[in-house]
Amino acid sequence: MSGTSSPEIANPIPAPDTLELAALLCSKVCHDLISPVGAIVNGLEVLDDNPKPEDREFALELIRKSAKTASARLQFCRLAFGAAGSAGAQIDVGDAQTMARGHIEDAKTSITWNLPRLLLPKNRVKLLLNMMVVAQQTIPRGGVLTVDPIGEGETMSFRVAATGLNARLPQNIVNLLAGAHQSTIDAHAVQPYYTRLLADACGLKVTLAADGDAMVVQAS
């Protein structure tokens, strides 16, 4: 028989049950928020100490910046991991773009967004945002995420290409997306694992592979 087949897993690891998956996602969201919320607390402590005018201004700027970051991360997580409307709801892709830019873009990382503005089923939009998080992990020193459509209308899927200095292909994420992981799903692994679950719910397969200098996450 010609062709190749996917390698079998010698000792497959049981998937987390519903309660464990919910707990792991909550742990990830908390992890994402600890840093900016902690910075807000630090800024308030400086203000409580009756600082010099220059220290007071530094503390206020830290609080402003950290509050903005925390808000952006909360909005992104609400859509990427949360219910985001009733079952079967549609979401404006333009809103997803706004949240993705608020969460991902900074001095090191930018987004080139080539998707049309339209309403898509909730799970497809959640899948897109999670694909962007996966792609971001391949460029630890920053770079550009380019988001392109595959197809059109309600059945549109996506291609997210990450380019940047020292871009890398994390094999553990490749395996998690392929369902070939051989270790227990923990709070660090739950996001790519959840990305695969979203792709399954949309009737799609999501992959991560190198394409020249780009690391490409694609759902098709």
Side-chain angles (χ1 to χ4, degrees):
M1 189 175 189
S2 62
T4 59
S5 58
S6 301
E8 294 184 0
I9 303 174
N11 297 297
I13 301 298
D17 61 25
T18 304
L19 287 176
E20 186 178 4
L21 178 61
L24 289 170
L25 286 173
C26 286
S27 292
K28 173 173 174 48
V29 172
C30 291
H31 177 271
D32 289 347
L33 291 173
I34 283 173
S35 178
V37 172
I40 292 171
V41 172
N42 291 339
L44 291 171
E45 288 176 347
V46 171
L47 293 179
D48 286 340
D49 290 337
N50 297 315
K52 299 175 183 177
E54 59 269 25
D55 292 336
R56 178 181 176 82
E57 184 54 40
F58 171 80
L60 287 172
E61 181 58 28
L62 176 63
I63 292 170
R64 291 188 195 100
K65 182 178 179 181
S66 300
K68 183 177 180 181
T69 298
S71 177
R73 290 185 182 180
L74 273 172
Q75 291 181 61
F76 181 90
C77 290
R78 177 178 177 271
L79 183 53
F81 308 124
S86 59
Q90 291 190 316
I91 295 174
D92 190 329
V93 174
D95 291 340
Q97 177 187 7
T98 299
M99 293 180 189
R101 290 191 185 279
H103 177 62
I104 293 173
E105 285 193 318
D106 55 23
K108 298 191 302 178
T109 305
S110 62
I111 297 171
T112 299
W113 188 274
N114 297 321
L115 300 183
R117 183 154 193 170
L118 75 166
L119 295 174
L120 284 179
K122 176 178 65 176
N123 279 344
R124 284 189 182 256
V125 177
K126 291 163 68 73
L127 172 61
L128 168 60
L129 293 179
N130 277 274
M131 288 171 61
M132 295 180 72
V133 173
V134 169
Q136 185 185 23
Q137 294 178 66
T138 69
I139 47 172
R141 298 186 64 179
V144 179
L145 299 184
T146 302
V147 185
D148 291 304
I150 299 176
E152 58 185 15
E154 288 196 359
T155 59
M156 178 187 296
S157 57
F158 317 102
R159 181 181 189 272
V160 182
T163 54
L165 186 64
N166 293 339
R168 60 190 180 87
L169 192 68
Q171 190 59 45
N172 64 317
I173 296 181
V174 173
N175 292 342
L176 283 161
L177 294 177
H181 55 90
Q182 290 185 276
S183 59
T184 302
I185 303 298
D186 57 18
H188 296 290
V190 69
Q191 191 276 323
Y193 174 76
Y194 182 64
T195 303
R196 180 169 67 84
L197 294 183
L198 287 169
D200 290 346
C202 295
L204 300 170
K205 180 180 180 181
V206 63
T207 58
L208 170 61
D211 184 2
D213 293 333
M215 302 296 121
V216 177
V217 186
Q218 181 166 311
S220 57

mmCIF file of all heavy atoms in Angstrom, residues 182-219:
data_model
loop_
_atom_site.group_PDB
_atom_site.id
_atom_site.type_symbol
_atom_site.label_atom_id
_atom_site.label_comp_id
_atom_site.label_asym_id
_atom_site.label_seq_id
_atom_site.Cartn_x
_atom_site.Cartn_y
_atom_site.Cartn_z
ATOM 1 N N GLN A 182 2.849 13.028 23.886
ATOM 2 C CA GLN A 182 3.100 11.863 24.735
ATOM 3 C C GLN A 182 3.365 12.271 26.176
ATOM 4 O O GLN A 182 4.050 11.572 26.916
ATOM 5 C CB GLN A 182 4.272 11.050 24.180
ATOM 6 C CG GLN A 182 3.932 10.349 22.869
ATOM 7 C CD GLN A 182 5.061 9.465 22.399
ATOM 8 O OE1 GLN A 182 5.989 9.923 21.764
ATOM 9 N NE2 GLN A 182 4.987 8.189 22.725
ATOM 10 N N SER A 183 2.828 13.420 26.552
ATOM 11 C CA SER A 183 2.945 13.862 27.939
ATOM 12 C C SER A 183 1.602 14.441 28.372
ATOM 13 O O SER A 183 0.757 14.789 27.539
ATOM 14 C CB SER A 183 4.044 14.918 28.090
ATOM 15 O OG SER A 183 3.779 16.035 27.266
ATOM 16 N N THR A 184 1.421 14.542 29.678
ATOM 17 C CA THR A 184 0.167 15.038 30.216
ATOM 18 C C THR A 184 -0.049 16.503 29.834
ATOM 19 O O THR A 184 0.894 17.296 29.833
ATOM 20 C CB THR A 184 0.175 14.905 31.754
ATOM 21 O OG1 THR A 184 0.385 13.537 32.096
ATOM 22 C CG2 THR A 184 -1.143 15.371 32.350
ATOM 23 N N ILE A 185 -1.277 16.856 29.488
ATOM 24 C CA ILE A 185 -1.608 18.237 29.181
ATOM 25 C C ILE A 185 -1.589 19.044 30.476
ATOM 26 O O ILE A 185 -2.290 18.717 31.439
ATOM 27 C CB ILE A 185 -3.005 18.348 28.527
ATOM 28 C CG1 ILE A 185 -3.068 17.494 27.258
ATOM 29 C CG2 ILE A 185 -3.329 19.797 28.214
ATOM 30 C CD1 ILE A 185 -2.105 17.909 26.182
ATOM 31 N N ASP A 186 -0.749 20.087 30.512
ATOM 32 C CA ASP A 186 -0.697 20.949 31.683
ATOM 33 C C ASP A 186 -1.038 22.379 31.267
ATOM 34 O O ASP A 186 -1.451 22.629 30.135
ATOM 35 C CB ASP A 186 0.676 20.886 32.356
ATOM 36 C CG ASP A 186 1.822 21.262 31.406
ATOM 37 O OD1 ASP A 186 1.558 21.887 30.349
ATOM 38 O OD2 ASP A 186 2.983 20.927 31.715
ATOM 39 N N ALA A 187 -0.876 23.335 32.179
ATOM 40 C CA ALA A 187 -1.264 24.716 31.891
ATOM 41 C C ALA A 187 -0.435 25.326 30.767
ATOM 42 O O ALA A 187 -0.890 26.250 30.085
ATOM 43 C CB ALA A 187 -1.147 25.571 33.153
ATOM 44 N N HIS A 188 0.773 24.811 30.552
ATOM 45 C CA HIS A 188 1.614 25.326 29.466
ATOM 46 C C HIS A 188 1.192 24.758 28.111
ATOM 47 O O HIS A 188 1.366 25.406 27.077
ATOM 48 C CB HIS A 188 3.085 24.988 29.737
ATOM 49 C CG HIS A 188 3.643 25.649 30.957
ATOM 50 N ND1 HIS A 188 3.885 27.009 31.018
ATOM 51 C CD2 HIS A 188 3.988 25.151 32.170
ATOM 52 C CE1 HIS A 188 4.370 27.311 32.211
ATOM 53 N NE2 HIS A 188 4.423 26.211 32.932
ATOM 54 N N ALA A 189 0.669 23.549 28.119
ATOM 55 C CA ALA A 189 0.316 22.876 26.864
ATOM 56 C C ALA A 189 -1.150 23.049 26.488
ATOM 57 O O ALA A 189 -1.544 22.711 25.369
ATOM 58 C CB ALA A 189 0.645 21.387 26.969
ATOM 59 N N VAL A 190 -1.964 23.579 27.394
ATOM 60 C CA VAL A 190 -3.407 23.562 27.161
ATOM 61 C C VAL A 190 -3.823 24.454 25.994
ATOM 62 O O VAL A 190 -4.789 24.145 25.287
ATOM 63 C CB VAL A 190 -4.179 23.948 28.449
ATOM 64 C CG1 VAL A 190 -3.979 25.418 28.799
ATOM 65 C CG2 VAL A 190 -5.667 23.627 28.290
ATOM 66 N N GLN A 191 -3.097 25.543 25.747
ATOM 67 C CA GLN A 191 -3.536 26.463 24.689
ATOM 68 C C GLN A 191 -3.446 25.831 23.289
ATOM 69 O O GLN A 191 -4.431 25.840 22.548
ATOM 70 C CB GLN A 191 -2.759 27.780 24.767
ATOM 71 C CG GLN A 191 -3.333 28.885 23.882
ATOM 72 C CD GLN A 191 -2.859 28.798 22.455
ATOM 73 O OE1 GLN A 191 -1.701 28.440 22.209
ATOM 74 N NE2 GLN A 191 -3.727 29.116 21.507
ATOM 75 N N PRO A 192 -2.303 25.242 22.877
ATOM 76 C CA PRO A 192 -2.308 24.564 21.580
ATOM 77 C C PRO A 192 -3.242 23.352 21.553
ATOM 78 O O PRO A 192 -3.845 23.056 20.504
ATOM 79 C CB PRO A 192 -0.839 24.169 21.360
ATOM 80 C CG PRO A 192 -0.182 24.288 22.687
ATOM 81 C CD PRO A 192 -0.946 25.330 23.446
ATOM 82 N N TYR A 193 -3.370 22.664 22.679
ATOM 83 C CA TYR A 193 -4.317 21.546 22.733
ATOM 84 C C TYR A 193 -5.738 22.048 22.492
ATOM 85 O O TYR A 193 -6.503 21.457 21.724
ATOM 86 C CB TYR A 193 -4.216 20.866 24.097
ATOM 87 C CG TYR A 193 -5.244 19.774 24.327
ATOM 88 C CD1 TYR A 193 -5.109 18.524 23.740
ATOM 89 C CD2 TYR A 193 -6.352 20.011 25.133
ATOM 90 C CE1 TYR A 193 -6.055 17.534 23.943
ATOM 91 C CE2 TYR A 193 -7.305 19.030 25.340
ATOM 92 C CZ TYR A 193 -7.158 17.786 24.744
ATOM 93 O OH TYR A 193 -8.110 16.808 24.942
ATOM 94 N N TYR A 194 -6.091 23.155 23.130
ATOM 95 C CA TYR A 194 -7.417 23.746 22.954
ATOM 96 C C TYR A 194 -7.610 24.217 21.512
ATOM 97 O O TYR A 194 -8.718 24.125 20.959
ATOM 98 C CB TYR A 194 -7.577 24.909 23.926
ATOM 99 C CG TYR A 194 -8.927 25.591 23.906
ATOM 100 C CD1 TYR A 194 -10.076 24.900 24.268
ATOM 101 C CD2 TYR A 194 -9.054 26.930 23.538
ATOM 102 C CE1 TYR A 194 -11.320 25.518 24.261
ATOM 103 C CE2 TYR A 194 -10.282 27.559 23.532
ATOM 104 C CZ TYR A 194 -11.406 26.857 23.892
ATOM 105 O OH TYR A 194 -12.635 27.480 23.880
ATOM 106 N N THR A 195 -6.540 24.693 20.880
ATOM 107 C CA THR A 195 -6.610 25.106 19.476
ATOM 108 C C THR A 195 -7.022 23.931 18.601
ATOM 109 O O THR A 195 -7.851 24.068 17.691
ATOM 110 C CB THR A 195 -5.250 25.663 19.013
ATOM 111 O OG1 THR A 195 -4.870 26.751 19.862
ATOM 112 C CG2 THR A 195 -5.324 26.167 17.572
ATOM 113 N N ARG A 196 -6.455 22.775 18.877
ATOM 114 C CA ARG A 196 -6.834 21.581 18.106
ATOM 115 C C ARG A 196 -8.293 21.206 18.346
ATOM 116 O O ARG A 196 -9.010 20.814 17.410
ATOM 117 C CB ARG A 196 -5.922 20.404 18.453
ATOM 118 C CG ARG A 196 -6.271 19.129 17.672
ATOM 119 C CD ARG A 196 -5.208 18.065 17.836
ATOM 120 N NE ARG A 196 -5.134 17.544 19.187
ATOM 121 C CZ ARG A 196 -5.916 16.571 19.649
ATOM 122 N NH1 ARG A 196 -6.858 16.032 18.881
ATOM 123 N NH2 ARG A 196 -5.757 16.131 20.881
ATOM 124 N N LEU A 197 -8.760 21.331 19.588
ATOM 125 C CA LEU A 197 -10.162 21.026 19.874
ATOM 126 C C LEU A 197 -11.093 21.959 19.096
ATOM 127 O O LEU A 197 -12.133 21.535 18.583
ATOM 128 C CB LEU A 197 -10.434 21.155 21.375
ATOM 129 C CG LEU A 197 -9.743 20.160 22.310
ATOM 130 C CD1 LEU A 197 -10.189 20.399 23.741
ATOM 131 C CD2 LEU A 197 -10.015 18.718 21.895
ATOM 132 N N LEU A 198 -10.720 23.241 19.020
ATOM 133 C CA LEU A 198 -11.533 24.190 18.258
ATOM 134 C C LEU A 198 -11.547 23.830 16.770
ATOM 135 O O LEU A 198 -12.598 23.900 16.115
ATOM 136 C CB LEU A 198 -10.995 25.608 18.441
ATOM 137 C CG LEU A 198 -11.247 26.263 19.794
ATOM 138 C CD1 LEU A 198 -10.430 27.542 19.925
ATOM 139 C CD2 LEU A 198 -12.735 26.577 19.979
ATOM 140 N N ALA A 199 -10.387 23.446 16.244
ATOM 141 C CA ALA A 199 -10.331 23.037 14.836
ATOM 142 C C ALA A 199 -11.226 21.824 14.599
ATOM 143 O O ALA A 199 -11.968 21.775 13.604
ATOM 144 C CB ALA A 199 -8.891 22.739 14.439
ATOM 145 N N ASP A 200 -11.168 20.851 15.511
ATOM 146 C CA ASP A 200 -12.032 19.671 15.388
ATOM 147 C C ASP A 200 -13.503 20.075 15.370
ATOM 148 O O ASP A 200 -14.303 19.545 14.587
ATOM 149 C CB ASP A 200 -11.779 18.712 16.553
ATOM 150 C CG ASP A 200 -10.417 18.023 16.475
ATOM 151 O OD1 ASP A 200 -9.787 18.072 15.402
ATOM 152 O OD2 ASP A 200 -9.982 17.458 17.495
ATOM 153 N N ALA A 201 -13.874 21.023 16.243
ATOM 154 C CA ALA A 201 -15.271 21.464 16.320
ATOM 155 C C ALA A 201 -15.718 22.149 15.033
ATOM 156 O O ALA A 201 -16.912 22.139 14.707
ATOM 157 C CB ALA A 201 -15.451 22.415 17.509
ATOM 158 N N CYS A 202 -14.760 22.726 14.313
ATOM 159 C CA CYS A 202 -15.071 23.405 13.043
ATOM 160 C C CYS A 202 -14.950 22.466 11.845
ATOM 161 O O CYS A 202 -15.142 22.891 10.700
ATOM 162 C CB CYS A 202 -14.136 24.593 12.837
ATOM 163 S SG CYS A 202 -14.327 25.919 14.037
ATOM 164 N N GLY A 203 -14.600 21.206 12.084
ATOM 165 C CA GLY A 203 -14.399 20.265 10.993
ATOM 166 C C GLY A 203 -13.121 20.536 10.217
ATOM 167 O O GLY A 203 -13.034 20.218 9.023
ATOM 168 N N LEU A 204 -12.113 21.105 10.887
ATOM 169 C CA LEU A 204 -10.854 21.469 10.242
ATOM 170 C C LEU A 204 -9.690 20.764 10.922
ATOM 171 O O LEU A 204 -9.818 20.236 12.023
ATOM 172 C CB LEU A 204 -10.643 22.987 10.303
ATOM 173 C CG LEU A 204 -11.700 23.864 9.635
ATOM 174 C CD1 LEU A 204 -11.474 25.332 9.992
ATOM 175 C CD2 LEU A 204 -11.676 23.670 8.119
ATOM 176 N N LYS A 205 -8.545 20.802 10.247
ATOM 177 C CA LYS A 205 -7.302 20.295 10.819
ATOM 178 C C LYS A 205 -6.321 21.454 10.890
ATOM 179 O O LYS A 205 -6.141 22.180 9.906
ATOM 180 C CB LYS A 205 -6.725 19.179 9.955
ATOM 181 C CG LYS A 205 -5.418 18.602 10.500
ATOM 182 C CD LYS A 205 -4.893 17.487 9.608
ATOM 183 C CE LYS A 205 -3.579 16.924 10.155
ATOM 184 N NZ LYS A 205 -3.038 15.847 9.285
ATOM 185 N N VAL A 206 -5.702 21.647 12.045
ATOM 186 C CA VAL A 206 -4.761 22.749 12.206
ATOM 187 C C VAL A 206 -3.349 22.193 12.302
ATOM 188 O O VAL A 206 -3.107 21.188 12.967
ATOM 189 C CB VAL A 206 -5.113 23.613 13.441
ATOM 190 C CG1 VAL A 206 -5.018 22.823 14.726
ATOM 191 C CG2 VAL A 206 -4.234 24.854 13.503
ATOM 192 N N THR A 207 -2.427 22.838 11.580
ATOM 193 C CA THR A 207 -1.047 22.377 11.536
ATOM 194 C C THR A 207 -0.095 23.545 11.769
ATOM 195 O O THR A 207 -0.441 24.714 11.544
ATOM 196 C CB THR A 207 -0.712 21.741 10.173
ATOM 197 O OG1 THR A 207 -0.943 22.711 9.129
ATOM 198 C CG2 THR A 207 -1.556 20.505 9.923
ATOM 199 N N LEU A 208 1.113 23.222 12.213
ATOM 200 C CA LEU A 208 2.198 24.192 12.340
ATOM 201 C C LEU A 208 3.401 23.614 11.621
ATOM 202 O O LEU A 208 3.834 22.504 11.919
ATOM 203 C CB LEU A 208 2.524 24.445 13.818
ATOM 204 C CG LEU A 208 3.799 25.248 14.111
ATOM 205 C CD1 LEU A 208 3.724 26.643 13.510
ATOM 206 C CD2 LEU A 208 4.046 25.334 15.621
ATOM 207 N N ALA A 209 3.934 24.368 10.653
ATOM 208 C CA ALA A 209 5.077 23.886 9.873
ATOM 209 C C ALA A 209 5.884 25.066 9.364
ATOM 210 O O ALA A 209 5.376 26.191 9.263
ATOM 211 C CB ALA A 209 4.598 23.021 8.705
ATOM 212 N N ALA A 210 7.153 24.806 9.051
ATOM 213 C CA ALA A 210 8.007 25.840 8.469
ATOM 214 C C ALA A 210 7.713 25.945 6.979
ATOM 215 O O ALA A 210 7.504 24.943 6.293
ATOM 216 C CB ALA A 210 9.470 25.496 8.707
ATOM 217 N N ASP A 211 7.700 27.179 6.475
ATOM 218 C CA ASP A 211 7.538 27.443 5.048
ATOM 219 C C ASP A 211 8.548 28.526 4.688
ATOM 220 O O ASP A 211 8.267 29.717 4.800
ATOM 221 C CB ASP A 211 6.112 27.905 4.745
ATOM 222 C CG ASP A 211 5.871 28.097 3.249
ATOM 223 O OD1 ASP A 211 6.803 27.837 2.459
ATOM 224 O OD2 ASP A 211 4.759 28.528 2.874
ATOM 225 N N GLY A 212 9.753 28.120 4.285
ATOM 226 C CA GLY A 212 10.820 29.080 4.082
ATOM 227 C C GLY A 212 11.240 29.682 5.409
ATOM 228 O O GLY A 212 11.513 28.966 6.374
ATOM 229 N N ASP A 213 11.246 31.003 5.475
ATOM 230 C CA ASP A 213 11.616 31.683 6.719
ATOM 231 C C ASP A 213 10.433 31.842 7.661
ATOM 232 O O ASP A 213 10.606 32.325 8.806
ATOM 233 C CB ASP A 213 12.179 33.082 6.406
ATOM 234 C CG ASP A 213 13.501 33.010 5.670
ATOM 235 O OD1 ASP A 213 14.214 31.999 5.835
ATOM 236 O OD2 ASP A 213 13.830 33.950 4.915
ATOM 237 N N ALA A 214 9.247 31.486 7.235
ATOM 238 C CA ALA A 214 8.041 31.672 8.045
ATOM 239 C C ALA A 214 7.644 30.402 8.763
ATOM 240 O O ALA A 214 7.837 29.291 8.248
ATOM 241 C CB ALA A 214 6.894 32.162 7.169
ATOM 242 N N MET A 215 7.078 30.577 9.972
ATOM 243 C CA MET A 215 6.438 29.489 10.686
ATOM 244 C C MET A 215 4.936 29.652 10.484
ATOM 245 O O MET A 215 4.375 30.697 10.864
ATOM 246 C CB MET A 215 6.777 29.540 12.183
ATOM 247 C CG MET A 215 8.269 29.486 12.481
ATOM 248 S SD MET A 215 9.053 27.937 11.983
ATOM 249 C CE MET A 215 10.296 28.558 10.841
ATOM 250 N N VAL A 216 4.286 28.679 9.866
ATOM 251 C CA VAL A 216 2.917 28.851 9.411
ATOM 252 C C VAL A 216 1.956 27.970 10.192
ATOM 253 O O VAL A 216 2.127 26.750 10.255
ATOM 254 C CB VAL A 216 2.799 28.539 7.901
ATOM 255 C CG1 VAL A 216 1.338 28.648 7.455
ATOM 256 C CG2 VAL A 216 3.674 29.496 7.099
ATOM 257 N N VAL A 217 0.943 28.593 10.778
ATOM 258 C CA VAL A 217 -0.166 27.879 11.393
ATOM 259 C C VAL A 217 -1.337 27.955 10.418
ATOM 260 O O VAL A 217 -1.747 29.054 10.018
ATOM 261 C CB VAL A 217 -0.577 28.513 12.734
ATOM 262 C CG1 VAL A 217 -1.632 27.656 13.427
ATOM 263 C CG2 VAL A 217 0.629 28.697 13.638
ATOM 264 N N GLN A 218 -1.845 26.809 10.028
ATOM 265 C CA GLN A 218 -2.898 26.791 9.009
ATOM 266 C C GLN A 218 -4.021 25.851 9.416
ATOM 267 O O GLN A 218 -3.779 24.771 9.949
ATOM 268 C CB GLN A 218 -2.317 26.352 7.667
ATOM 269 C CG GLN A 218 -3.330 26.335 6.528
ATOM 270 C CD GLN A 218 -2.664 26.224 5.165
ATOM 271 O OE1 GLN A 218 -1.713 26.969 4.864
ATOM 272 N NE2 GLN A 218 -3.146 25.323 4.328
ATOM 273 N N ALA A 219 -5.245 26.298 9.159
ATOM 274 C CA ALA A 219 -6.427 25.462 9.393
ATOM 275 C C ALA A 219 -7.107 25.226 8.067
ATOM 276 O O ALA A 219 -7.412 26.174 7.335
ATOM 277 C CB ALA A 219 -7.382 26.146 10.371
#
